[in-house]
Amino acid sequence: MNAMKKDYHITQEMIDSYGEINGDNDIIHYDVEYARKRGFKAPIAHGLMAQGYASALGAEKYGAQWFTRGEIEVKFVGPLYPDETITVEIDDEGRLNVAAGERTCIVGSARLRDAG
Amino acid sequence: MTRPADVKPREGERPGTRWEEFEVGAQLPSFDFTISPEIVAEYHRAIEQEPAGYSLDGRKVSIPSVLSVYLMAVLYRRYPPMQGGIMAGNKFRYYGAISAENDTTVVASGEILEKFEKRGRRYVRYSARFARLDGKLIAEAENISTFPN
């Protein structure tokens, strides 16, 4: 199967919109001072937001089977910040990678079960 | 229609759970919620997808990760959240599509699987199960998060 790739430019507004549907109130996603205190340069995006991008890409890559046999596993290895463009990629072997430029943010896999 | 905030205790509302208080093997009580077409549309907008849903065999369905906005509710309903929790990783296995045209009632439950410390951080791993009212499985998940306490 072909590799799939898509870019997203992350904004604080997108993070806020995700926080609204996600229903959380974790200040690390919008409080600059708190985020800096925790060692980040800015508020961080929800990892699940980027995982949602990856799940949507999985649907494009695998079609109908994604909804009944899809399996996605992610490890959040670096923060996603507002005003960054990230690239979400699933390669031809189902390896998932999300990066902001040269900086890897998420690694994992998006594959079909029993797909060999 | 159940917004995630309707079923998920929010950070700062109640005293947050300390890491010592998580019990490995603890059952995370079941609860139900309804994913409506409006929820699907809002979720899809939040992940930059077409709000009407994904076309699948002549019907509209949700990208299956819509369940992820309910994922932490499974944990937080028993163990209210601390401010500053950070997700380290998770896994979803999808078994059935969720309609973007009709309401879907989902029953969720889970279990604390493990807690551990690594490089000075304290982690909790738990499982979640999402099924229809008739018991048919929609998705299974596992999540690992770290909390600043």
Side-chain angles (χ1 to χ4, degrees):
Chain A
M1 289 188 184
N2 294 333
M4 306 284 289
K5 187 158 75 169
K6 193 164 181 182
D7 290 345
Y8 294 89
H9 183 71
I10 306 294
T11 66
Q12 185 61 50
E13 186 182 5
M14 290 160 73
I15 297 170
D16 294 345
S17 295
Y18 191 86
E20 182 66 29
I21 182 64
N22 194 47
D24 67 86
N25 184 37
D26 191 335
I27 59 177
I28 204 161
H29 298 303
Y30 61 83
D31 186 319
V32 176
E33 289 310 311
Y34 179 78
R36 285 180 180 157
K37 249 189 264 179
R38 292 289 305 279
F40 300 105
K41 70 176 185 183
I44 59 174
H46 301 76
L48 283 172
M49 182 173 82
Q51 191 171 345
Y53 300 155
S55 184
L57 201 59
E60 279 186 48
K61 180 176 173 65
Y62 298 113
Q65 295 185 93
W66 182 244
F67 296 81
T68 53
R69 290 175 46 210
E71 184 164 312
I72 185 167
E73 182 165 10
V74 301
K75 187 174 177 188
F76 302 106
V77 296
L80 300 164
Y81 292 117
D83 304 319
E84 282 184 334
T85 297
I86 63 168
T87 301
V88 181
E89 183 171 15
I90 305 173
D91 74 9
D92 54 5
E93 293 182 7
R95 286 183 293 251
L96 169 65
N97 189 78
V98 178
E102 296 296 311
R103 186 167 56 81
T104 300
C105 303
I106 298 174
V107 294
S109 62
R111 297 190 173 105
L112 299 180
R113 288 187 300 280
D114 306 318
Chain B
M1 170 171 109
T2 312
R3 294 188 63 77
D6 296 337
V7 291
K8 185 187 327 187
R10 286 156 60 92
E11 294 84 353
E13 285 180 350
R14 289 194 268 169
T17 306
R18 298 190 58 76
W19 186 76
E20 293 82 1
E21 295 171 321
F22 291 101
E23 293 173 274
V24 175
Q27 297 300 303
L28 303 173
S30 71
F31 63 102
D32 60 71
F33 57 89
T34 300
I35 300 176
S36 66
E38 291 81 7
I39 293 287
V40 172
E42 185 176 344
Y43 177 72
H44 271 224
R45 279 192 293 271
I47 61 164
E48 307 294 308
Q49 300 298 307
E50 170 57 46
Y54 183 88
S55 294
L56 181 67
D57 301 330
R59 61 197 174 109
K60 293 286 190 183
V61 300
S62 177
I63 295 297
S65 53
V66 67
L67 288 169
S68 63
V69 293
Y70 299 92
L71 175 64
M72 298 309 286
V74 178
L75 179 69
Y76 291 168
R77 289 170 68 87
R78 173 155 182 180
Y79 296 106
M82 276 273 179
Q83 274 296 359
I86 295 175
M87 205 169 272
N90 65 59
K91 181 191 292 188
F92 268 88
R93 299 180 201 94
Y94 306 134
Y95 295 94
I98 295 167
S99 177
E101 299 169 323
N102 301 296
D103 287 357
T104 302
T105 298
V106 179
V107 180
S109 59
E111 180 181 351
I112 302 288
L113 299 175
E114 184 186 12
K115 50 195 268 194
F116 57 95
E117 294 186 73
K118 192 175 174 184
R119 296 191 194 119
R121 286 190 171 174
R122 293 170 150 187
Y123 295 87
V124 174
R125 183 167 69 93
Y126 73 98
S127 65
R129 184 179 192 277
F130 301 95
R132 298 183 193 280
L133 283 173
D134 63 6
K136 196 170 178 185
L137 195 57
I138 301 173
E140 293 174 316
E142 279 187 24
N143 172 271
I144 302 173
S145 289
T146 178
F147 300 95
N149 59 11

